[in-house]
Amino acid sequence: MWDLLIVNPFTNILLLIYAFVGNFGVSIILFTILIRIATHPIMAKQIKSGAAMQELMASEEWKKIQEKYKNDKEKLAQEQMRIYQERGINPFGSCLPTLIQFPILIGFYQSIVRAISATPMQMIDLVRGIYPWLENITAKASLSALIPINSQFLWMDLGQPERVIIPGLAFGIPVLAIIVGLTTFVQTKLTMTPSASPNDQTAMMNQQMSIMMPLMLFYFSLNFASGLAVYFIASNLVGILQYAALGKVNWNNLLVFGSNKTAAPAKKSGK
Amino acid sequence: MKFNRLFLFALLATLTLALSACGAPPATNWPGMSTDGDLIYLSSNSHVYIVQVQNGTESTANISGKITPLRFPIEADPGKMSFYAPPALAEDGLMVVGSAAAGGHALYAADSATGNVRWTFDNTKPWLGGALILEDAIFAPSGDGTLYAFNMSGSKLWEKNLSTHALWTTPVSDGNYIYLATLDHKMYCLDPNSGNIVWSKDLDNGMIGSPAIVDGVLYVGTLDGNLYSIDASNGNTNWVKSLEGSIWGTPGFGEGSLYIGTVFGRAGKFYALDAATGEVKWFRDEEGSIVAGPLVTNEQVVYVTELGRIQSLDISGAPKWQDNFEKNKIFTTPLLVQDTIVVAPMGSQFLMVAYDLNGAKKWTFTPAK
C-alpha cells in the first residue's frame, strides 16, 4: 500500500521530470520545488498556528494560570484546554503539518533510492513500478530511454554518499553534507519564531533546534545517498523563500548566536 | 511545551530509523554461486562460504592451531567487505571476488585453501558483477563502468571504460574474445589481450543477465523482453524474439533449445525456444516472477521463482519435481555440482539447499557461528 500510494507515484513523477530534463539532480530539485508548492498551504497553516501559540504564551492570561496552578498539573491542563477552546487554537496545529510532511520525506527518499537502483535487486522494483502509460506522455519516458538512470550530477553520484577526494588527503571531504548543515542552520535561524522571554521553553527549544537539526541532516547527508542531500539543500533554500514570501523571515536572527533570544520578524513593507 | 520537545525528539529518532531502514547504502543483492567441481563458493553478504558438495559442510582450515571454518574473510568485516558476485576460480586455488560494502570497494584475490589475501585492487565503486578468468588473466567488471584486466599476480594489464553506469554482468568468453552485456544497452566483444573493442551492438534496452555463448552464438535477453541470438564473430543479429515480461537472467541451452524465464509484473513466464530460429516451443505461467536464469542438465531444466518455488521440468515442459520456500525469494541461478543441484534462497535460515537429480533433498547449509 505504501508503495502503491507514495513510493510509486513519487518515483514516476521523478522519472517523468528526468525524461524531460535529462538530469537526475535537476529532477530532484524540481520535484522538491513541486512538493514544497504542494505542501505550501500546510506550511502556511503551521506558521499561523505557531504564531497564535506564541502569542498565547506571551499573554498575561497564560502567564497567570501558569503561576496560579504551578502545583496542580491537572488543573493547569484543564485551564490550558479552556483557553485553547476560547481562542480557537489547536495545540497540535503546529505538529500535525510536520507529521503530514514526514511520510513525504520518507517516500521521497525511497523513490530517489529506487530510481537510482544501486543493485539489480533494487531495479526489480523500479522496472515493476514504472507506469506503462508514462511513455505516452513522452517517448523519453519509455523503459528503454529511462534505464539506466544517469545518477551523475555535477561531481557526485546521487546513489552514493558524496565525498570530494583531494590528492594527498587520506579521506574524502563531505562537501554536500557541510552545505546541508549550513543551509539547515541558516533556515532554522531565519525561520525561528520570536519568544517573549529568553528563558522560556520555546526559546530553549529554538536554540536546541538550531543546533540539532543541522547536525541531524548533516549526519543523514554524510551516510545516505547524496540525492537526499540535494533534496535537503533545495528544500532548505525553497523553504527560506517561502518564509520570506510570507514575511516570516527573521534576518536579524542570523546575527544572534549563543543566546536564547530570537529577534522579531521584519515587518512586511506596505503593511 | 514538554510535549513539543518530546515530539521533536521522537520525530527525529523515527526519521533516523526510517531513513536508515529504507535504502541506505550498502545496498544488498542476491547471493552469487560458483563451483570448482568439488566445492561450492557462495558469496552471501559478509563472507564467501566454501562448502563441500557431498554433505554441505564448510571446509576447514588450521589457523593458528585452531580448526576454523574456511571462509573469506575468516573474520567478518561487514563495513568493508560484502560479497554478492559469483567468485571466479583459478586452477591454482586463486579465488577472485569484489566487495560491494559501503565502506570498502576492493577486488580481492584470495587463496581458497587458506583464506589468505594474495592481492587486492582498490576502487571507488562496488563490485556486483563476477570476474572471468581466462588463461592467465582476470577480467573484472566494476561499479565504475570499467572492465579491468589483471594478470594472476594482480598487476593491471589494461582497463576499458564501457559504461556511464555500473557493470553488473559477468563477462563470458568463447576462448578467443570476451563478451560483456551492459545496462546501458550495449553488448561488447573485446580483445582480451588489449581491451580493444572488436565490435559493439546497441540492443535498445538494458541487460542485467550475462549472455550465454554456444557454438559461436550469443544469446542474451533485455529488460523489454527481447531475446537476441547474435553472431559472436561480428555482432550481427541472427534473430530476435519478443517475450512477455522482462528478461533478467542468462538463458540456458540444451539439445538445441533455449530456456529463459521472465518477470511479468509480479508473475512470471518460463519459455522454451528453438535456438536456431527463436520460435517458442512451449511456455509455462508462474505465479512468481523468474529473475534467475535456469539450470539445464541432460534430462531436465530447473528454474526458481521470486515466490520461492524450485521447479524442475523435462525438456518437453512436463513437471518432474518441485519444492517451495514460500516465505523466501530465490533470485540466484541453481548450480549443478556433480549430481547435486544447489539452490540459494534469500531470507531463509538456510543459505543453500541441495537436491539430487530427482528432487530429493540432500542437505541444507547454515553457516556455523
Side-chain angles (χ1 to χ4, degrees), chain B residues 245-308:
Chain B
S246 54
I247 299 172
W248 291 69
T250 300
F253 179 90
E255 301 292 324
S257 293
L258 280 179
Y259 301 93
I260 190 67
T262 65
V263 175
F264 190 54
R266 297 263 162 207
K269 284 178 180 285
F270 189 75
Y271 290 91
L273 303 98
D274 186 322
T277 63
E279 287 304 306
V280 173
K281 290 182 173 178
W282 50 261
F283 72 92
R284 185 182 156 90
D285 290 312
E286 271 291 342
E287 285 182 357
S289 59
I290 303 167
V291 172
L295 165 70
V296 182
T297 72
N298 288 338
E299 295 175 346
Q300 61 184 315
V301 51
V302 181
Y303 64 86
V304 292
T305 78
E306 193 180 354
L307 291 182

Side-chain angles (χ1 to χ4, degrees), chain A residues 4-265:
Chain A
L4 188 72
L5 297 179
I6 304 285
V7 183
N8 271 353
F10 278 19
T11 308
N12 278 276
I13 294 169
L14 255 178
L15 293 178
L16 189 60
I17 298 171
Y18 173 76
F20 280 112
V21 301
N23 183 307
F24 200 66
V26 175
S27 311
I28 291 174
I29 294 167
L30 290 176
F31 193 27
T32 307
I33 294 170
L34 271 180
I35 286 180
R36 276 291 192 168
I37 291 170
T39 56
H40 184 77
I42 299 171
M43 199 187 81
K45 197 177 171 188
Q46 184 179 10
I47 293 170
K48 202 176 159 188
S49 280
M53 198 72 166
Q54 212 57 52
E55 197 180 311
L56 170 67
M57 285 175 188
S59 69
E60 283 305 313
E61 187 182 11
W62 186 264
K63 287 175 184 168
K64 270 184 193 167
I65 63 160
Q66 300 292 323
E67 182 59 30
K68 190 173 177 182
Y69 300 112
K70 63 182 176 189
N71 296 322
D72 185 351
K73 291 199 171 169
E74 200 175 323
K75 183 67 182 169
L76 178 63
Q78 284 174 1
E79 285 298 303
Q80 284 176 335
M81 283 310 292
R82 179 184 61 78
I83 296 174
Y84 288 145
Q85 282 172 357
E86 280 177 9
R87 297 199 177 200
I89 293 173
N90 179 358
F92 304 111
S94 59
C95 300
L96 286 178
T98 310
L99 271 182
I100 292 167
Q101 290 179 52
F102 186 56
I104 293 175
L105 173 62
I106 302 289
F108 190 57
Y109 179 60
Q110 286 181 317
S111 61
I112 291 172
V113 170
R114 176 171 296 180
I116 291 170
S117 291
T119 68
M121 203 163 86
Q122 288 178 345
M123 189 162 276
I124 295 174
D125 287 330
L126 174 65
V127 171
R128 244 180 216 147
I130 295 176
Y131 299 145
W133 46 263
L134 219 56
E135 62 183 307
N136 297 337
I137 300 172
T138 167
K140 290 177 183 171
S142 67
L143 184 72
S144 163
L146 285 175
I147 291 179
I149 302 282
N150 184 356
S151 60
Q152 288 296 319
F153 177 55
L154 302 176
W155 67 91
M156 54 200 128
D157 181 342
L158 295 166
Q160 300 286 323
E162 176 263 6
R163 300 286 186 277
V164 171
I165 307 292
I166 294 176
L169 267 185
F171 54 89
I173 298 174
V175 174
L176 214 61
I178 292 168
I179 297 174
V180 167
L182 285 175
T183 55
T184 310
F185 177 75
V186 170
Q187 193 208 17
T188 315
K189 291 289 273 185
L190 288 179
T191 56
M192 273 179 186
T193 48
S195 64
S197 156
N199 295 319
D200 75 13
Q201 292 200 16
T202 304
M204 284 189 275
M205 206 168 98
N206 279 343
Q207 187 64 22
Q208 286 171 356
M209 279 278 284
S210 70
I211 304 293
M212 209 159 66
M213 281 300 285
L215 287 178
M216 193 83 180
L217 298 194
F218 173 80
Y219 171 79
F220 288 154
S221 308
L222 201 62
N223 293 292
F224 298 160
S226 56
L228 185 69
V230 172
Y231 164 73
F232 284 143
I233 293 170
S235 185
N236 286 341
L237 296 178
V238 177
I240 292 169
L241 288 177
Q242 281 180 302
Y243 269 79
L246 293 167
K248 298 289 181 186
V249 165
N250 304 326
W251 297 105
N252 294 333
N253 277 354
L254 270 186
L255 305 172
V256 182
F257 190 69
S259 158
N260 286 338
K261 222 171 217 175
T262 49

Side-chain angles (χ1 to χ4, degrees), chain B residues 148-218:
Chain B
Y148 292 92
F150 304 93
N151 66 18
M152 303 308 267
S153 308
S155 298
K156 191 162 71 180
L157 301 172
W158 51 260
E159 63 179 71
K160 187 80 180 176
N161 187 262
L162 297 172
S163 175
T164 54
H165 192 273
L167 299 177
W168 284 347
T169 66
T170 300
V172 297
S173 177
D174 55 3
N176 297 315
Y177 295 99
I178 304 165
Y179 303 93
L180 185 76
T182 68
L183 193 63
D184 59 1
H185 309 180
K186 289 275 185 68
M187 168 68 82
Y188 289 99
C189 170
L190 297 116
D191 181 342
N193 297 313
S194 61
N196 290 338
I197 296 171
V198 179
W199 57 259
S200 69
K201 186 177 181 69
D202 193 325
L203 299 188
D204 197 35
N205 224 295
M207 287 159 276
I208 307 277
S210 298
I213 181 157
V214 184
D215 298 331
V217 179
L218 292 162

